[in-house]
Amino acid sequence: MTFGKGHHLHLVDGSAFIFRAYHALPPLTRKSDGLPVGAVSGFVNMIWKMIEDNRGPDAPTHAAVVFDKGSHTFRNDLYDLYKANRDEMPEDLRPQIPLTREATKAFNIACLEQEGFEADDIIASLSCKARDAGGRVTIISSDKDLMQLVGDGVEMFDAMKNRRIDAEGVREKFGVGPDRVVDVQALAGDSVDNVPGAPGIGIKTAALLINEYGSLDELLERAEEIKQPKRRQTLIEHAEQIRLSRQLVSLDCNMDLDYDLDSLEVKEPEAEVVLDFLNRMEFRSITKRLAEHLGAEPPAMPEPKAEATPAPEMPEIDPDAYEWVKDEEALQRWIGAIRAKGAVAIDTETTSLNEMRAKLVGISLCVEPGQACYIPLTHRSEGQDGDLFGSDALAEGQMPMARALELLKPVLEDPAVLKIGQNMKYDLKILAAEGIVLAPFDDTMLISYAMHAGLHTHGMDTLADRYLGHTCIPIKEILGTGKSQITFDRAPIDKAVRYAAEDADVTMRLWRTLRPQLHTARTTTVYETLERPLVPVLAAMERRGVKVDRNTLSRMSSAFAQKMAALEADIHALAGEPFNVGSPKQLGEILFDRMGLPGGKKGKAGAWSTPADVLEDLATTHDLPARVLDWRQLSKLKSTYTDALQEHIHSDTGRVHTSYSIAGANTGRLASTDPNLQNIPVRSEEGRRIREAFVAEPGHVLVSLDYSQIELRILAHVAGIEALKQAFREGQDIHAMTASEMFGVPLEGMDPMVRRQAKAINFGVIYGISGFGLARNLRIPRDEAQGFITRYFERFPGIKDYMDDTTGFAKEHGYVQTLFGRRINTPEIGAKGPQAGFAKRAAINAPIQGTAADVIRRAMIRMPDAIEGLPAKMLLQVHDELLFEVEEGSVDALTAAAKEVMEAASLPAVDLSVPLVVEAGAGQNWAAAH
DNA sequence: GTACTCACG
DNA sequence: GACGTACGTGAGTACG
């Protein structure tokens, strides 16, 4: 078949795939001989994913993976420094390059390279050819150098971001259409490829110039007309260098190719060939997965040689090897094995991710990598949908739950047997509901978090992938997705055994891999004193829940609904037409297109953006935006709080049970979900009333204790600012004191506006202050804000030193630390471009926010013992606040005890040079307790 | 699924 | 000189 209309060519930037795979994966080696194969395995996974993702109506008819070949190209002849600043290829990547070619061929995909040409030129020539023949092209790459090819049926696809890039996308990146991309690149240059360009001109300026003059040639010809003297001079002086740069970035569309389009026709992979390759690479899990997909037998793997020493040594994961425990005899055997080992990895399977709704379905155990079992307990027998008889009966092959738990309870509670889990808080809560108090335990999620916060997330799939090179069986393979999704108790037991026991097996392997690393990362203390002991404390808080009064919420909902309806009518009348007030896009069209109001900005998708601060500016002169702001506030309160909260009231307890994630926030803070009880309104009067629905049981009172200015106190301590420390010791108003120091105004009779500005600066410092940010917050001109900052740093030079020291430490080590040794990794700190600013500010903020988080964690961990004997329970944590429910007569005793724990929480590990002060309040509801 | 908006510390 | 900006979260709605 001749390539032409209706055909679709996929061109993959193979070199980019290799580098991404190399950097994204740990350095895996082939077991039998230690050959590095990490990049190859990543490459293979990406190719396979691409094939799978591209099945369907828009599937490519032709495809090729294109590689660079040889280091010397015609561009080096033009300019000998081209790509001269490239680092040497890493030693362990070099031998993998030919293997990726082999992999491509094994998948039956054309593999293209040509001596003396970069992959980009081959891609360019093929794209042009295909386009001229009337076909379509998708270039799978995110390389900006290829963007000049986009248009007329040629698109790019960024496989990493899963995003298509068309002419509009190019325009976003370069500010000009694809046809002018080379002009912009020629001016802006490229430090990565060492293309010189015009000094001092970046993409933005380049686009500006090209748009003004139409083209690079025109611009260079009329360079004399440029108004800015520096720019004019640069362009005139460097005209030659700019022309050379254009040659360097221009892709060759007409190179003489060794192959034609027709030879690139898509062919299905041949099972035997691809499996043989994967087998030789010893990629066990992907070999298996592909074999299943292709309906072939996986070939036998060669046995690893004895001298290979991947640490720690573990057998391959094999879900077929797991045992289905059906009776008491089998379970006794496993319990014996656990006692013999002294440690077991455990995982519970349930009907729901929500621990309060979840019912136990089965338990998996693993005593040694590869040796795992699953004990199904309450699986239902399979039956057709709507089969009223079969479906509620227990399935065959399960022992009675009560008996199984009776046998397991002694081991699970045995202080001599370590239980290992991934996210143990979940299993702890599930087992607590069955009367089992599991202890002692280790948690692989928290071990990972203590070492690697900031580097990646800590879910099992991520960890298995990164540290074991293993892809876990996806849960959707067992339960399905969407509407037809079933609960775990409906899953066939043979499948459940594979999934559940694999989880326990993987957990055991992660523990063997990660636990020994804790001390080399010097984070054992963090894990043992700040992470692990918090788990049972949180589990108890979550199970207790907080009482929420449904009637209060429901009355508020109705009131909000009425007010919103009235506002909506007003808004439509003001707009002259009905529209969806909740749609920023439609609202923007009314405000900015129709009414022609100023200040409108469009977002990434090209739709109008209408954030509150913009509307607030408009509200001073127009009614419509003012009403929209009111409507939005009510809409938020109603949907997120008065409506949604009601759905979270548990039918048995009448209380709301949030779930805290311990390893969610990088800084060490907790995060609250389902529902989030850390963002219940308080700042606005109307919103605060929602807290009236959080109530104490009859005869009880809610007590709230919160740290006063804890982050600023920590800043004063770590940066060693004597004036701030002194002010805190004397109990002064810290913002007023700052204002007084900065502006030389007396504390007495201070203008509230001046204090407000000082307050904004104090907060800004904690966030890694910038002139821009402060200006926006205070709504003052940027240079004025910058002036404030300069003055602040002059007055408190220790703050500037702290910031520089912190970012310096982050650059040197790749992480920052809290006072308690918590480590927050900062992998982006060395980045160039806008991420650098983000990373820097995050690095400045993390030790402060993180130390505050550590302090309250320590208080929470000590709290159960401190209030033991009092009729009181800790219910909620909101970053610097703890909420308790206590019997009426014991308010004072509880307040005193809890306050003491909180104020002394940093001791004895850290003796702060400023006092920690806790403020307390009590009342029938949360609003009153504040 | 992503973008936008907004609630909290 | 240019670039894009306050730190950390979770959730609901619109829209493709």
Side-chain angles (χ1 to χ4, degrees), chain A residues 680-695:
Chain A
I680 303 301
V682 69
R683 291 175 189 167
S684 79
E685 181 53 43
E686 194 128 42
R688 185 155 54 235
R689 296 204 44 217
I690 289 171
R691 295 192 174 215
E692 292 170 9
F694 289 74
V695 295

Side-chain angles (χ1 to χ4, degrees), chain A residues 555-841:
Chain A
R555 272 198 303 274
M556 292 177 82
S557 267
S558 310
F560 290 152
Q562 281 190 12
K563 285 193 194 171
M564 282 170 69
L567 279 169
E568 194 167 330
D570 287 357
I571 291 166
H572 289 169
L574 287 165
E577 61 177 296
F579 69 100
N580 184 350
V581 183
S583 163
K585 179 169 169 277
Q586 294 181 31
L587 175 65
E589 282 159 11
I590 302 271
L591 289 173
F592 305 119
D593 288 334
R594 283 243 341 268
M595 297 172 64
L597 295 178
K601 284 212 177 85
K602 289 194 176 176
K604 285 185 191 161
W608 287 108
S609 168
T610 58
D613 53 349
V614 171
L615 296 189
E616 275 160 24
D617 286 342
L618 299 175
T620 56
T621 51
H622 288 80
D623 274 347
L624 199 155
R627 302 280 158 90
V628 171
L629 282 169
D630 292 342
W631 183 91
R632 274 198 187 160
Q633 194 198 0
L634 295 174
S635 162
K636 176 78 178 181
L637 294 177
K638 180 168 187 296
S639 68
T640 309
Y641 301 106
T642 57
D643 287 351
L645 223 37
Q646 294 186 54
E647 322 239 309
H648 284 284
I649 299 175
H650 196 281
S651 50
D652 297 344
T653 64
R655 300 168 76 98
V656 170
H657 306 265
T658 184
S659 178
Y660 289 101
S661 46
I662 315 180
N666 290 335
T667 52
R669 272 195 180 180
L670 301 177
S672 157
T673 61
D674 304 307
N676 182 353
L677 294 186
Q678 292 182 320
N679 73 344
I680 303 301
V682 69
R683 291 175 189 167
S684 79
E685 181 53 43
E686 194 128 42
R688 185 155 54 235
R689 296 204 44 217
I690 289 171
R691 295 192 174 215
E692 292 170 9
F694 289 74
V695 295
E697 292 285 353
H700 290 66
V701 174
L702 293 182
V703 174
S704 159
L705 294 106
D706 69 291
Y707 284 106
S708 161
Q709 310 282 9
I710 185 167
E711 293 192 353
L712 268 180
R713 286 170 197 265
I714 288 165
L715 175 70
H717 172 85
V718 296
I721 312 298
E722 223 19 78
L724 288 179
K725 287 201 256 181
Q726 189 65 26
F728 278 127
R729 282 189 206 116
E730 291 168 3
Q732 286 183 30
D733 176 339
I734 198 68
H735 302 311
M737 174 266 166
T738 306
S740 166
E741 286 280 353
M742 276 188 63
F743 305 114
V745 295
L747 288 171
E748 314 289 302
M750 177 174 292
D751 178 357
M753 277 305 289
V754 175
R755 182 180 179 279
R756 192 182 134 250
Q757 292 188 322
K759 185 176 173 182
I761 298 170
N762 277 333
F763 275 108
V765 167
I766 292 170
Y767 297 153
I769 200 160
S770 79
F772 183 94
L774 184 64
R776 199 171 66 171
N777 193 300
L778 284 175
R779 307 203 172 207
I780 57 175
R782 195 178 152 170
D783 46 359
E784 196 178 325
Q786 193 55 56
F788 284 180
I789 294 170
T790 309
R791 189 144 22 142
Y792 186 91
F793 285 153
E794 279 164 15
R795 188 58 201 83
F796 304 109
I799 301 272
K800 186 84 175 69
D801 292 342
Y802 163 76
M803 290 183 159
D804 294 344
D805 291 350
T806 305
T807 48
F809 185 95
K811 277 198 184 121
E812 188 183 335
H813 296 99
Y815 64 86
V816 292
Q817 279 177 311
T818 67
L819 288 180
F820 299 92
R822 172 183 301 284
R823 176 177 294 204
I824 298 113
N825 292 283
T826 56
E828 299 274 272
I829 195 76
K832 295 219 167 121
Q835 313 105 292
F838 282 114
K840 220 170 130 173
R841 291 191 295 271

Side-chain angles (χ1 to χ4, degrees), chain A residues 835-853:
Chain A
Q835 313 105 292
F838 282 114
K840 220 170 130 173
R841 291 191 295 271
I844 289 167
N845 174 258
I848 303 169
Q849 188 181 115
T851 299

Side-chain angles (χ1 to χ4, degrees), chain A residues 170-336:
Chain A
V170 174
R171 201 173 287 279
E172 248 170 61
K173 170 95 194 163
F174 281 104
V176 296
D179 52 328
R180 291 288 159 222
V181 163
V182 289
D183 291 359
V184 168
Q185 284 186 289
L187 283 168
D190 184 345
S191 56
V192 180
D193 291 346
N194 212 25
V195 172
I201 291 190
I203 289 184
K204 292 281 151 147
T205 315
L208 205 76
L209 290 167
I210 295 298
N211 281 323
E212 191 175 342
Y213 289 85
S215 72
L216 184 62
D217 290 323
E218 185 79 15
L219 170 68
L220 292 176
E221 218 156 275
R222 292 165 51 200
E224 302 285 350
E225 299 172 21
I226 297 173
K227 294 179 202 80
Q228 298 88 336
K230 268 219 180 103
R231 257 181 220 172
R232 180 174 59 228
Q233 198 190 347
T234 305
L235 286 184
I236 295 172
E237 267 177 23
H238 296 92
E240 260 329 290
Q241 184 176 317
I242 294 167
R243 290 206 173 87
L244 169 69
S245 297
R246 179 164 57 176
Q247 275 183 287
L248 290 176
V249 299
S250 297
L251 297 179
D252 186 349
C253 232
N254 294 308
M255 62 180 282
D256 207 6
L257 294 173
D258 294 346
Y259 11 75
D260 60 34
L261 290 171
D262 298 340
S263 63
L264 307 182
E265 201 173 316
V266 167
K267 288 170 281 193
E268 278 296 312
E270 284 171 31
E272 203 177 310
V273 179
V274 68
L275 291 179
D276 174 64
F277 173 78
L278 296 174
N279 193 39
R280 272 191 289 122
M281 293 294 109
E282 299 170 22
F283 297 154
R284 281 151 213 261
S285 49
I286 186 165
T287 307
K288 231 173 185 174
R289 201 148 26 102
L290 248 78
E292 265 168 42
H293 257 272
L294 300 169
E297 271 301 304
M301 286 275 163
E303 278 309 307
K305 283 185 199 157
E307 67 265 22
T309 52
E313 180 106 20
M314 291 185 279
E316 207 55 37
I317 292 175
D318 176 11
D320 292 330
Y322 301 137
E323 180 180 337
W324 171 350
V325 172
K326 298 185 177 180
D327 53 35
E328 195 169 325
E329 181 272 325
L331 180 55
Q332 292 283 20
R333 191 159 33 76
W334 278 94
I335 289 171

